[in-house]
Amino acid sequence: MPGRVSTRNVEPLSAARKAPSQSLRSRRTTASPNVAIPAEGPASPLRTRICLIFGDAQKSTAAHRKLAVNLRKIQEECCYEQTSRQGQVRNDSEEDDFNVELARCVIRLMGMKKSEGAGDRIVRFLGMFLRRATDKDAALMPEVDFEDPQTFPETPSTRLTSHVLSILIPLLASKEKVVRYRATQLIAHIINSLDSVDDDSYHLVRVGLLKRVRDKESMIRVQAVLGLGRLAGNEGEEDQDDADSDNDDASGLLDKLLEVLQNDPSAEVRRALLLNLPLAPKTLPFLLERARDVDSATRRALYSRLLPALGDFRHLSLSMREKLLRWGLRDRDENVRKATGKLFRERWIEDCVGSTGVAEDGTTQQAVPPSLDGLLELLERIDVVNSAGSNGIATEAMRDFWLGRPDYRDALGFNDPFWDHLTPESVFVARSFNDFCKGGEHGKSEALAEEKMPEVTKLAFFLQRYVNDLVSCIRHNNALGEGEPEEDTVENEFIVEQLLHITEALDYSDEIGRRKMFALLRETLTIAELPEEITKLVVNVLRGICGSGAAGEREFCSVVLEAVAEVHDHVMTDDLPAENEDQSFHSARSELSDSTPTKARSETGAGRDGDESELDEEKAIKEIMINMKCLHIAQCMLENVEGDLQQNIHLVTMLNNLVVPAVRSHEAPLRERGLLCLGLCCLLDKALAEENLSLFLHCFSKGHDALQVSALYILSDILTVHSHLVTADNVDPGLQKSVYKIFGKGLKASTTAEVQSAATIALCKLMLTSVIRDEDLLKQLVTLFFDPAAKENAAVTQALSYFLPVFCHSRRENMEMMAAIAANVVHHQVNLVDEMDEEDGAVGVNVIGNMLVDWTDARKLVVPGGGLIGWDEAGGKDAKAVNGDIHLTLAESLLERALAYGCSKEERKVLVSMVGKVHMTSNSSGEKLQAVSELVAEAIDGELATDTATKNALIKCQSALGKVLGEARTTQSKMEDQGADPTMGENETRLEAESEVEEKEVQVEDKAVDPGGRDSLLEELLDDEDEEEEEEDV
């Protein structure tokens, strides 16, 4: 398959052996030039001419080409025999004179700082001149093959290059970072400008730049890898043989650069390597790995520069294509997402359709028009069947594709032949196009969908056709026996799913089309073999067709429950003929058994018992599958219902006849799915939730990991909807303690990662909504956030990274709670660090202290509609006075802990440093200010501080307290002179700083309706367990 070749041109720099020069003017000396800085000596016309050229070159790059031509003329005058018109030979300067004078200018460059642009312009000029001079020398020697890597003809330019490199290489080890930077920069630019250098210079440059890769200055490392990236493509067999030696400098260059690419702390170094390493099978995985780089500019460079120059994307593996798309389109940086979208809709589609090419005459060919076949191939290349699910990337990629390619939106059409021969790729094109048009912000896209998509009635016929094909494939597979589903079944299932997604977004104002679709979906829902994902989509579409409101909801429930009854009855009645036939067979066999011997009769009876046991087992398994299917349909229905459970007779019937028996079942799969349905029912009825809350607590305590996760999510949803179960004044203390204990147990490290992440996420949600307010649980969350063992659970770390600052800065009460537990958290972390090794990666206690002070800073408190109450828009200065009581409370608790008996030296140091960072204002409570001032004075008098940093922190805090107390007294005296109440200003400021949205609780009357007179499920389950234990004991 032809594909676009890579457009990235990285030519390796070759090291060639020297060959004797030809037709060159003999040099004055053959000795190597001295690397020392040459003496100034007397001025000469040659020096003046060269210095004037370099002086002009450092001013602007506009005249570099002309200046390079002039400098080349001077070189030719010095190196080649020039004959005047009278036939006399001019011999003013020699080649060595030119080389020395040019090297003098190069040495003057070494002291220029990076910030001076003149230095960069000189480097560019030198590279341009050496490249031009090398080409001119090659033109003057047509009989020499310069492309032969085995020979290296000597020319004035090659000798000049070797002379300059011999001066620069020793400067790579200079103590001055500026000199090392300029030397590395110039060497890297020279080897990137030339095709080859002599063998001796090549190895010296390689070793010198390899040492600079480990330089402590990142700017030097950047220039080193720019040069080594050119050398990396020249690693041959000799370099690989050297890699096996013990010499570190002789080890594999490419391996060293790949190590730097992965581990260098500087983003500029990694980015320079990303764009300069050769594209090879060995380097490609490491280059694509930069899609997960921590630096956004590096990730953007991968998608905007490396991947477009890579060539045909079809050379990449399927998993790598999917990963690159997922990482790029879901990147947190907007520029990376834009670069990924552009790559997908412009470059990858060109590889499948055809790109703008260049004809033989040099003219640019016209781009290929939009092609549906090319788009289908592009979707096939990213495996749309597996990447278009709920968590797949194909949907996001196509949304960006339609947004950026209006030519495809206008060119593609979806006529009847298109729908008659659907494939997974083509149906996904239609689904993504419909979603894009329906989700547009203006009416133009909506009109485009109405124009191109079929009407509801026609789409219903297409859907019926493909549903029938899917059911036929499923039944055919079932008849063949167990095993993996065939490819046709998977594709047909995907096609039906995408068609249902399209129908979910249609407009059902057409009554004829609505009735047709309604009848089709109701009939489809009764098919027992229907996959669960399609069943869920059918229920969702039915909910939209039935309409909103209580009447539509009741109709929806009745239709779904009728389908559940038909599924159950249809499958059960299918077994009756087989059972009757089996019974008639047994009766006929029993009539003939009278004439058989006794031994034969006993063998027949044993065989009959075995067959009956197998039939009973198959029947039991089939009954479980039937009930699982019915419960899944009921679960999908409950996820689409919002009304009161007791007001809908269909839901009450379903609860009593389907859900409750499933919960009481002894089969684990039925019981677990029944608990999910029961949890959904509890969201619709407060009394039912209160009655069964203990049941879900019991499931967490006694269940396995998957059941514990389900119980946690159910409890979280119930408490979010019915918060009064744990927040009411008359709440049962035992029940509240049990709920808190469940979440505390789930946060412990002894649980599995899934249970711990589920407990963390659920508890964070409940604490953000103020459903649960408990200091012990908050302390457990904070210590879990700083626990090194929790770093392995990325879900926990990510959830707590968002939760803790938002929790503290959203409400004043939350911030006060954090201040109350701060001292205990520090004490716990100090003890934890003492017990752990340094290699365990524990967070520094000082870092923890700084974060606790930041989380309790009242200036960052967010007031609804008012932003931060203590910071201006720039986030720098105080916009208005804030109440600093929270930080005073924090300081008071920290000082009390520091003055307490048993506080270690390390802990006391951290506590005092935190006290020195609290924010105090005169607007704070006078009592708290005085209390903190007394504690600080006690700490100073008792010589609490043993080191200089701790003493300075206490002195700084005492000085700040004195200033704040003085301002408070001045304000109070002014208000007393004016005859005003001193507490009035404080109260007004507090009201202004603590303004919050008042939470109103809607009191709903408890409805003590017990549907069907059912007993407590928890008591029955416990009774069943006791009976089972007694039977086991017997």
Side-chain angles (χ1 to χ4, degrees), residues 91-163:
N91 190 11
D92 297 337
S93 301
E94 301 290 338
E95 178 183 345
D96 287 345
D97 296 332
F98 177 83
N99 294 347
V100 169
E101 294 301 330
L102 189 140
R104 189 190 305 274
C105 297
V106 171
I107 293 174
R108 297 298 181 270
L109 170 67
M110 296 297 102
M112 302 182 71
K113 295 182 179 180
K114 180 184 178 182
S115 58
E116 299 182 17
D120 297 334
R121 288 190 285 271
I122 290 296
V123 170
R124 293 182 58 185
F125 172 70
L126 279 173
M128 178 184 293
F129 166 71
L130 291 176
R131 178 67 184 179
R132 181 179 182 83
T134 302
D135 294 342
K136 289 292 184 180
D137 287 341
L140 293 174
M141 302 172 62
E143 68 279 3
V144 180
D145 186 9
F146 282 84
E147 296 182 358
D148 186 4
Q150 300 299 326
T151 60
F152 186 74
E154 279 200 17
T155 64
S157 299
T158 58
R159 289 191 291 269
L160 174 61
T161 302
S162 300
H163 178 66

Side-chain angles (χ1 to χ4, degrees), residues 324-448:
L324 289 173
L325 272 182
R326 185 174 71 252
W327 293 340
L329 292 177
R330 294 177 180 174
D331 196 278
R332 57 181 173 271
D333 187 81
E334 183 180 0
N335 294 323
V336 179
R337 296 195 298 269
K338 290 181 178 179
T340 309
K342 185 177 181 181
L343 173 73
F344 178 77
R345 67 175 180 264
E346 293 184 4
R347 300 308 298 264
W348 286 13
I349 188 66
E350 287 179 0
D351 292 337
C352 299
V353 179
S355 59
T356 302
V358 179
E360 296 180 357
D361 56 355
T363 59
T364 303
Q365 297 177 347
Q366 189 174 3
V368 179
S371 171
L372 177 61
D373 294 336
L375 182 57
L376 296 181
E377 182 184 353
L378 176 61
L379 293 176
E380 183 182 359
R381 296 293 180 177
I382 63 174
D383 190 15
V384 69
V385 176
N386 295 318
S387 62
S390 58
N391 196 33
I393 197 60
T395 304
E396 300 175 28
M398 286 304 297
R399 185 187 307 118
D400 188 88
F401 179 86
W402 295 119
L403 182 63
R405 295 302 298 264
D407 54 338
Y408 271 84
R409 296 202 306 263
D410 298 334
L412 297 185
F414 307 102
N415 48 19
D416 291 347
F418 174 87
W419 299 98
D420 290 335
H421 304 87
L422 286 179
T423 62
E425 292 77 21
S426 61
V427 71
F428 185 73
V429 169
R431 180 260 174 111
S432 61
F433 177 79
N434 185 71
D435 290 346
F436 171 78
C437 295
K438 297 295 182 179
E441 299 179 357
H442 45 80
K444 183 178 180 181
S445 299
E446 183 75 22
L448 195 62

Side-chain angles (χ1 to χ4, degrees), residues 264-306:
D264 196 282
S266 174
E268 294 182 359
V269 177
R270 300 194 302 272
R271 188 160 57 251
L273 272 176
L274 175 70
L275 300 176
N276 288 275
L277 278 177
L279 295 175
K282 181 179 181 180
T283 61
L284 188 59
F286 296 92
L287 296 175
L288 299 181
E289 193 180 61
R290 290 304 94 200
R292 306 299 288 169
D293 197 281
V294 295
D295 179 60
S296 60
T298 303
R299 300 195 301 272
R300 184 171 67 252
L302 173 73
Y303 286 100
S304 61
R305 299 180 61 180
L306 177 67

Side-chain angles (χ1 to χ4, degrees), residues 808-809 815 818-819 822 851-858 886-887 890:
C808 295
H809 298 156
M815 196 173 283
M818 181 64 71
M851 297 182 73
L852 290 172
V853 173
D854 179 75
W855 291 340
T856 55
D857 192 348
I886 298 178
H887 260 182
L890 174 66

Side-chain angles (χ1 to χ4, degrees), residues 371-669:
S371 171
L372 177 61
D373 294 336
L375 182 57
L376 296 181
E377 182 184 353
L378 176 61
L379 293 176
E380 183 182 359
R381 296 293 180 177
I382 63 174
D383 190 15
V384 69
V385 176
N386 295 318
S387 62
S390 58
N391 196 33
I393 197 60
T395 304
E396 300 175 28
M398 286 304 297
R399 185 187 307 118
D400 188 88
F401 179 86
W402 295 119
L403 182 63
R405 295 302 298 264
D407 54 338
Y408 271 84
R409 296 202 306 263
D410 298 334
L412 297 185
F414 307 102
N415 48 19
D416 291 347
F418 174 87
W419 299 98
D420 290 335
H421 304 87
L422 286 179
T423 62
E425 292 77 21
S426 61
V427 71
F428 185 73
V429 169
R431 180 260 174 111
S432 61
F433 177 79
N434 185 71
D435 290 346
F436 171 78
C437 295
K438 297 295 182 179
E441 299 179 357
H442 45 80
K444 183 178 180 181
S445 299
E446 183 75 22
L448 195 62
E450 295 292 338
E451 176 186 352
K452 294 180 178 292
M453 299 299 293
E455 59 271 13
V456 178
T457 305
K458 186 177 294 186
L459 190 62
F461 283 106
F462 293 136
L463 177 60
Q464 184 177 10
R465 170 186 169 186
Y466 288 103
V467 167
N468 294 335
D469 293 343
L470 172 63
V471 174
S472 300
C473 290
I474 293 176
R475 290 174 178 172
H476 176 69
N477 292 338
N478 294 337
L480 294 178
E482 297 182 358
E484 293 293 331
E486 295 183 358
E487 184 177 357
D488 293 341
T489 305
V490 176
E491 292 183 355
N492 286 334
E493 182 178 346
F494 181 80
I495 292 173
V496 174
E497 289 178 6
Q498 303 309 307
L499 289 175
L500 287 171
H501 280 295
I502 295 175
T503 58
E504 192 174 4
L506 293 179
D507 181 13
Y508 291 98
S509 57
D510 179 16
E511 184 63 22
I512 298 177
R514 192 192 76 86
R515 290 180 180 180
K516 174 61 179 177
M517 186 65 71
F518 180 82
L520 172 62
L521 294 178
R522 188 202 173 284
E523 181 182 355
T524 303
L525 193 59
T526 60
I527 301 175
E529 297 86 357
L530 208 63
E532 290 191 351
E533 183 63 27
I534 294 180
T535 302
K536 182 178 180 180
L537 290 172
V538 170
V539 174
N540 293 341
V541 178
L542 272 175
R543 182 66 188 93
I545 294 177
C546 291
S548 58
E553 193 170 277
R554 284 193 297 269
E555 181 186 8
F556 167 69
C557 294
S558 64
V559 170
V560 174
L561 292 179
E562 287 176 6
V564 170
E566 289 188 20
V567 169
H568 188 275
D569 296 341
H570 177 68
V571 178
M572 294 300 294
T573 54
D574 287 345
D575 297 335
L576 293 179
E579 293 179 359
N580 294 334
E581 181 181 355
D582 190 58
Q583 290 176 359
S584 62
F585 172 76
H586 287 316
S587 61
R589 187 172 56 184
S590 63
E591 292 177 357
L592 297 174
S593 62
D594 295 336
S595 59
T596 58
T598 306
K599 183 178 180 180
R601 187 182 304 174
S602 61
E603 292 178 354
T604 305
R608 183 166 59 250
D609 293 339
D611 294 340
E612 290 179 354
S613 62
E614 292 180 1
L615 291 174
D616 293 340
E617 184 179 356
E618 292 179 1
K619 182 178 178 182
I621 294 175
K622 195 166 188 178
E623 186 176 354
I624 292 174
M625 299 302 296
I626 295 168
N627 292 328
M628 290 286 289
K629 177 67 177 180
C630 296
L631 285 171
H632 179 260
I633 299 175
Q635 178 184 344
C636 297
M637 178 193 68
L638 290 170
E639 292 173 354
N640 289 274
V641 174
E642 299 177 357
D644 190 358
L645 178 70
Q646 302 300 329
Q647 300 299 326
N648 194 328
I649 189 61
H650 304 289
L651 294 179
V652 175
T653 304
M654 182 266 308
L655 176 65
N656 295 328
N657 298 335
L658 183 62
V659 177
V660 173
V663 175
R664 293 172 176 170
S665 174
H666 293 284
E667 301 295 338

